[in-house]
């Protein structure tokens, strides 16, 4: 897409929608980092003897903690600074909806698609995509409230 066309589209969105779109894109970049952490911790857990399901539970908490910290520092940097432990706990709590989509997709693929069971990173990726939108809107609304304005 030529730069002028992209600029024209962004201008037509208006400042509020543009800011929301940019915030969603930053959330997606952070989610990509979370995917890398999730995958690395899962494979490390598998190498240490954890199973496909318990390893994924551990990797999800590591990834969620990473994405919370990066979203706090970058995506929602203008949000009020709630106490760290409280905000992290609220982030994990509200993202349980995204976790259910994420882990449910992963577990179904691992259970029913032998190729995914042999290559669980595919299930991790599918799960991350399944939980992305819900996690963004819940995080924006309940964890980083001022950023939604």
């Amino acid at each position: 897409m030529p730069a002028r066309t992209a600029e024209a589209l962004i201008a037509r969105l208006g400042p509020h929608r543009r800011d929301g779109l940019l915030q969603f894109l930053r959330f997606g970049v952070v989610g990509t980092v979370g995917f890398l952490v999730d995958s690395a911790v899962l494979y490390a857990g598998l190498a240490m003897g954890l199973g496909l399901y318990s390893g994924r539970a551990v990797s999800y908490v590591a990834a969620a903690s990473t994405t919370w910290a990066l979203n706090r520092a970058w995506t929602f940097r203008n949000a009020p600074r709630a106490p760290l432990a409280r905000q992290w706990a609220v982030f994990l709590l509200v993202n349980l909806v995204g976790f259910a989509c994420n882990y449910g997709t992963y577990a179904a693929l691992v259970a029913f698609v032998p190729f995914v069971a042999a290559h669980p990173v595919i299930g991790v990726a599918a799960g991350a995509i399944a939980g992305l939108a819900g996690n963004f809107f819940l995080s924006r609304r309940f964890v980083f409230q001022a950023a939604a304005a």
Side-chain angles (χ1 to χ4, degrees):
M1 173 184 309
R4 288 185 192 181
T5 305
E7 290 173 13
L9 286 173
I10 290 171
R12 292 185 78 192
L13 287 174
H16 182 70
R17 286 190 182 120
R18 181 199 68 222
D19 291 347
L21 176 62
L22 292 174
Q23 199 173 59
F24 182 75
L25 292 173
R26 285 191 299 267
F27 193 84
V29 169
V30 167
T32 300
V33 173
F35 165 75
L36 295 173
V37 169
D38 203 343
S39 298
V41 172
L42 173 61
Y43 278 87
L46 293 173
M48 293 189 305
L50 292 177
L52 287 169
Y53 301 104
S54 59
R56 183 67 206 289
V58 171
S59 72
Y60 181 83
V61 172
S65 297
T66 300
T67 58
W68 163 75
L70 293 173
N71 280 317
R72 178 181 166 95
W74 186 45
T75 307
F76 301 106
R77 63 183 169 260
N78 295 325
R81 294 295 183 214
L84 291 175
R86 181 184 181 284
Q87 191 178 55
W88 176 77
V90 171
F91 182 81
L92 291 181
L93 181 66
V94 301
N95 281 279
L96 285 176
V97 172
F99 172 75
C101 294
N102 186 320
Y103 193 83
T105 299
Y106 168 83
L109 289 171
V110 164
F112 298 113
V113 182
F115 185 77
V116 177
H119 305 283
V121 68
I122 296 167
V124 174
I129 292 167
L132 175 67
N135 283 343
F136 173 72
F137 291 110
L138 291 170
S139 293
R140 187 174 189 205
R141 172 75 171 101
F142 294 107
V143 181
F144 304 105
Q145 298 94 349

